[in-house]
Amino acid sequence: METIIRTSGLTKIYGTQKAVDNLAMHVKQGQIYGFLGQNGAGKTTTIRMLLGLIKPTDGQIEIFGENLLARQKEILRRVGSIVEFSGFYMNLTASENLLVNARLMGVHKRRAIDEALEIVGLQHETKKRVGKYSLGMKQRLGIARAILHHPELLILDEPTNGLDPIGIKEIRKLIRSLAEERKITILISTHILSEIEQLADVIGIVHQGRLLEELEMEDLGKRNRKYVEFHVSNDNKAAMLLEQYFHTYDYEVQGEGIIRVYSHIGQQSGINKLFVESGIEVSGIAMSENKLEDYFVQLIGGGTIG
Amino acid sequence: MVNLLYTELLKLKRAKMLLVSLIGASAAPLMVFIGFLDLKVKKPDSAVHYEEVFYNTNLYVLLLIGTLLYGVITAYIFNREHEEDTLKNLLTIPVSRTGLIVSKLVLLFFWIMLLTIAAWALTLALGLIGQFEGLSAGVLLTSFKQFIIGGSLLFLLSTPTMFITFLFRNYVPTIIFTAAITMGNVALANREYKALNPWSAVQVIANYEPVPQYPLYYSYIAILLVAAAGFLATVIYFRRLDIQ
């Protein structure tokens, strides 16, 4: 798979503070890349550097295999973006705001603006001035503006900032459909774990300006599989009973007397009954909790995300 | 550049600032008109000449109202993208930073010209109402030329105001700056140094009133130096600016 965004040694220093520190990011074609970190972790600074709004102190940025600083104009014409809250000319309507972009981007197709508004569901709000739009409508209009010129890459910085749960859900659905139907590579930054969990194919975790890890959601899913943990007097016998009566090998003996069963979630009472009737003492049963958040917290060394 | 200019004009659609600025530009002709009407009431035998009315109106525009009003318009045009948070969108389209400044300057030039012509036309119209004397093609042409030269030179001097707007991203420092310039204009109005102060030198050039101590080209140099310095400072600063 082609790498669409690649940064190496990307650094931004303000005074004595490193806002972004030696960051190496890899976003591959067709992926939804979740850029996750606490507020102030360096997400927005990184994204602004990717969009040429901030000049890096050091490091390289390659987008579509080309150096951003050398070919910024050509590269950014293939990119759509939202940086935090979308700014608009409040005295203009949605169509007029998009017309500004269309003219400057050389989008001459007559229907392009209407199509973009239709995609985000604002086709019936074209006469209203943007100054009268709600925050959710403005964010949707921001997406319409970002996709107006059919970009190959979308860079969205906290696109659900300030939205209510319904608004968040709508934007999430929209982003997912853009990735699936238009095959757009999407980089989305957020500090909300639950938001990215449902959307991203890959997650990059940034903390104090450093990219701690890039991992596929599939791998993360494996690490985060639900299980029922039994504390038993005889783990060998328990394992044998699981195989014999429940026909499962999807379990792990974690240590002496601890066995984790990944299948048959919800049947813990039946498993417990089998163990007890077979003479195994069960001293404890526990369901796995949301280890995903724990994983992030552990990775960033405490604190919380989202 | 054509597209940039088109979008700059589009951004003004429904903007109240255009109307507000036209009202502002009408202040000088109205003030002068009222002044001469008062004179006519007090001295009914004295004639009011168009030449004098145009001269006085242009003087008020160049030294007082124009400096302030054009300063506010400059701040509006250049600060708007910051204030409405649209700059990051424009720069990621991407639009060249220098191109953006130039397109806004072109818009500013046309705006100043519109206000200048509006002030001139209103002076003419009010004169017709007040039945002022001495209206001739020569007077009209000369006064129009003086208004246009004055407006153009004030446009050139908008670059320092533009720089201050970029630097502070706020209307207040710009207003303070233009108020200080206006005070300087008033203070130097009857002194020979008015030929050296770029903002009062505008009136010296526009009305062709050189002072004996300093040749007219001193005034041109002062204006061009300040205009170039303001433009270069803005371009250099803006090109290096991180958009937060």
Side-chain angles (χ1 to χ4, degrees), chain B residues 188-197 200-201 203-205 207-219:
Chain B
L188 296 174
N190 295 316
R191 303 192 62 181
E192 69 272 21
Y193 300 119
K194 69 179 179 183
L196 299 180
N197 169 34
S200 49
Q203 185 257 328
V204 172
I205 294 171
N207 292 339
Y208 196 71
E209 290 176 343
V211 294
Q213 294 87 341
Y214 303 105
L216 205 58
Y217 70 84
Y218 275 42
S219 301

Side-chain angles (χ1 to χ4, degrees), chain A residues 51-106:
Chain A
L51 292 168
L53 293 171
I54 292 179
K55 289 185 177 61
T57 308
D58 201 5
Q60 298 284 319
I61 300 171
E62 272 183 27
I63 300 181
F64 304 122
E66 294 189 287
N67 186 303
L68 179 71
L69 291 181
R71 296 181 57 83
Q72 186 167 318
K73 199 175 172 186
E74 293 79 5
I75 290 170
L76 290 183
R77 287 199 178 279
R78 298 162 67 187
V79 179
S81 63
I82 294 183
V83 184
E84 288 183 311
F85 295 103
S86 304
F88 294 100
Y89 304 101
M90 298 301 172
N91 52 313
L92 302 185
T93 64
S95 305
E96 288 161 352
N97 267 285
L98 295 193
L99 182 59
V100 170
N101 271 50
R103 285 296 288 246
L104 297 177
M105 284 172 162

